[in-house]
Amino acid sequence: QTLVTQEPSFSVSPGGTVTLTCALTSGSVSTNYYPTWYQQTPGRAPRTLIYSTNTRSSGVPNRFSGAILGSKAALTITGAQAQDESDYYCALYLGRGIVLFGGGTKLTVL
Amino acid sequence: QVQLQESGPGLVKSSENLSLTCNVSGFSLSFGFYWGWIRQPPGKGLEWIGNLHPKGTTYYNPSLESRVTISMDTSHDRFSLNLKSVSAADTAVYYCVRRGGNPSLFDSWGQGTRVTVSS
């Protein structure tokens, strides 16, 4: 059974840069998996940050960027701000209509 | 702007069926796109449940496929989730969503509805 893995937690200093990753337990992530990144704050529905690997959703600040780094999808926050403290989820398309979410990364900004 | 709103019982007894409805406004289901459901157990991550296109194509999470049905009423711009024989593991916030231009992009979300399965 294929799983999508993310770092459970990460910490970054205000103004710092952090890269969160999204990997498959079997195989490499490529653009064919349409990596999408979501941000979720407590009690709220997720918000789309990045789709199709590296396209920012409308209204998303340009400090958020997406890429494929090696065998993983990656979300980089450059110049982290306090309001970026959230849970971040990646989603991958596995084919035949099936989507799989990663377990999420809890990002702390301090 | 498309808006989605879930409705349904907040409490379901174990072994019974869960039924939720999503009412869509600002967009007609008959125009296309896939529509579906995602859930999030308390303190846990997101789980994709399935999608349905108004032309009839459905996709379900293989882990839930035997218990899930998603249906649509385009005349009333609403779609529904039916989950059979629930257990405590089905306790979650359930979100209705619109799938956007690529298969892992969910570009519109309802606010979510909390469902608790009681024994």
Side-chain angles (χ1 to χ4, degrees):
Chain A
Q1 180 186 7
T2 299
L3 298 176
V4 177
T5 61
Q6 299 181 244
E7 299 86 358
S9 62
F10 231 119
S11 183
V12 62
S13 299
T17 296
V18 62
T19 296
L20 311 182
T21 67
C22 175
L24 286 167
T25 54
S26 57
S28 299
V29 178
S30 70
T31 57
N32 294 331
Y33 287 87
Y34 296 94
T36 302
W37 291 90
Y38 298 89
Q39 178 191 49
Q40 187 182 34
T41 52
R44 302 288 300 271
R47 161 201 182 197
T48 307
L49 291 177
I50 301 285
Y51 62 94
S52 296
T53 304
N54 56 14
T55 303
R56 270 188 301 276
S57 191
S58 176
V60 174
N62 59 12
R63 65 179 181 273
F64 293 93
S65 62
I68 299 291
L69 296 181
S71 62
K72 302 178 182 181
L75 172 71
T76 298
I77 308 173
T78 304
Q81 299 182 5
Q83 61 260 40
D84 298 335
E85 185 162 296
S86 302
D87 294 328
Y88 291 86
Y89 294 93
C90 70
L92 300 178
Y93 177 61
L94 302 188
R96 292 179 294 171
I98 297 170
V99 176
L100 197 56
F101 284 94
T105 296
K106 184 176 184 62
L107 180 67
T108 302
V109 181
L110 53 74
Chain B
Q1 182 178 350
V2 59
Q3 292 186 314
L4 296 84
Q5 177 67 58
E6 305 90 350
S7 62
L11 188 63
V12 181
K13 291 183 178 179
S14 183
S15 79
E16 295 187 345
N17 297 342
L18 163 67
S19 291
L20 298 174
T21 297
C22 182
N23 286 283
V24 179
S25 58
F27 194 90
S28 173
L29 295 186
S30 59
F31 286 168
F33 287 91
Y34 281 86
W35 304 83
W37 296 87
I38 290 168
R39 70 181 183 178
Q40 185 171 33
K44 296 187 178 181
L46 301 168
E47 181 179 32
W48 173 74
I49 298 173
N51 298 329
L52 167 65
H53 192 276
K55 291 189 176 180
T57 304
T58 56
Y59 299 112
Y60 295 126
N61 187 322
S63 68
L64 297 169
E65 189 166 15
S66 62
R67 299 194 293 129
V68 171
T69 302
I70 298 175
S71 57
M72 183 179 287
D73 178 355
T74 56
S75 64
H76 292 95
D77 285 326
R78 64 190 180 207
F79 60 99
S80 299
L81 169 70
N82 187 273
L83 183 63
K84 297 188 293 188
S85 302
V86 298
S87 69
D90 296 308
T91 293
V93 174
Y94 285 76
Y95 296 99
C96 59
V97 295
R98 185 181 75 173
R99 197 188 87 172
N102 83 45
S104 63
L105 169 60
F106 301 102
D107 63 0
S108 297
W109 296 65
Q111 65 185 23
T113 187
R114 184 175 302 276
V115 177
T116 301
V117 177
S118 66
S119 55

